[in-house]
Amino acid sequence: MRTMASACLAGVCGCAIGTGSAMAQWNPAAADYTRTDPHDIRVMTWNVQDALCSTNPRKQQATSGDWSGLARVVAAMDPDVLLLQETGDNSGNGTGGGVDSVASLTTVMNLFVQGGNDPFQGNAAVQSYVELFNPSTQLRHVFVSSANDGFNRQVILSKYPFADINNDGAATLSNFTVLADAYVPTSGNGGSAGRGVQWAEIDLPDNVYAGDLVVSCAHLKSGSDQSDKDDREVVAQRMAYFIDYFYNGAGTGTVDPNNKIPQGGVSTTVLDANTPIILGGDWNEDENTNGRKGPAEWITRAAVTGPTDGTDRDRSDMMFDDSRDFFDNSRNTQGSSKLDYIAWQDSIATLRRSWVFDSRSMGSAVPAEFAGFTPNVIGLSGIASDHLPVIADFVLQLGMQDPPQEFSLVSPADGAALNGTIPLDWENSLNADEYVVRVSTTPDIVSGLLVSQTVSSSSFAVADGTLTPCGTYYWNVIAQNGVGMVTSNETWSFVIPAPGDWDGSGGAPNSSDFLAYLNDFAAMDPRADLSPIGGDGLFNSTDFLAFLNIYAQGCN
């Protein structure tokens, strides 16, 4: 069995594991939480203590309050998948009554991520939202659970779209039912009542990852009475069974081989070998101090510890986190206990690192997203929620993506004379995910580099004023993806003439430009009609004097 203690030595608790990528970026001591590898999938779970509901006065929370605190932490952690508990409870937040409908809470989540005019607050503009603080944190795929306990709902937000990947007719599931079988008892509400357990199937980009992803968000019953413990245990048992028998076929290759999971659709396929299940939530029991086999152990190990009925795809035991605060090594997520967990199928997903985030321990290492929060950034976590988030980075199997293919520049033509905004176009490169456009004063591009811009399409416009007139510039494009890059077949040049560079040859105006103007003047070329501005159809001394004026300016 792969225990959490041994795993901590191999990469959990903030330690990093090597995967062949340069070990850079993630450095909380420097307020940097960037992934070590951009392909890592980051999952974050957080009980947000009722702050995300329709009646929370968001228009007043530009620099303070729980809504703004939540948005700033999510932006700083930048998850790909965000699992939220205790959302939609207006009475719990003290600003209204009742639980939000699925539609209302979906609107709230879009406001939380993207901002906009708030229909619940007189259409006032939301003052704090995730993308305001970090535009790259685009959690725009929203799944609000239809299950609720009369107070709150669970929500899953994802960077990537939800999709039916096991052919059961559904991409998301708000709850589930498991009949008595194996270790699942005949009594107890479990996963078929109350807060419910969310499941979401996520379609990861095929040109990057070899498989997809299934996630689960659960808020188990709170309380220390025996009935509360029994309820959590039954839910955990049914979750374990659902993972093993429904998604992974209990090692048989057949979905629900014992016919104990009456889902609405009929799943025809188990998950493929590269698609892991990652679970998270507020499981309301500290596995280190409960003195029993609690929900985290049941979910990851099922009835027997060891490789016989576990919930990993190979029926070994899954793993659950022992995340720690980077600065003070605390594992607590609520008060003096760890109640919030992330678990994963470690035969498929490799944990690079996981951590608990608490602004109160970070000292001067303040993320940029926290700037301006009042009364002070150190207390932000305590204002946002009574729980702390758990965040984990996972290394998934990458797909066999081909590198970008050769391509050519299209326009402007090599050597063209241009003014104003300069549009650059090139061919699409097969397999390219993005392009880097480079403009330089030197043919080698590198030594005189002036512009280096990453774009997702095959065109880019250099804004007017970016480059100085009276110069020759060289440009090319690099196509790249996760496995390689290729430079355009050509490096072309263009000229931005000075106003008096009449023949467009580049450099300061000279005698050839003077003669070129005289020829155009004599031929009454409309281009030579300079006075007044725009021309008057006459060719006389005022036009000639206007040319002499711009000729004398040289390259200024």
Side-chain angles (χ1 to χ4, degrees), residues 502-516:
W502 199 255
D503 63 4
S505 59
N510 52 40
S511 58
S512 64
D513 298 300
F514 190 84
L515 292 173

Side-chain angles (χ1 to χ4, degrees), residues 157-181:
L157 303 176
S158 175
K159 175 181 179 180
Y160 303 106
F162 303 120
D164 178 15
I165 61 176
N166 68 340
N167 301 312
D168 69 341
T172 59
L173 186 63
S174 292
N175 216 330
F176 69 109
T177 300
V178 173
L179 304 178
D181 189 39

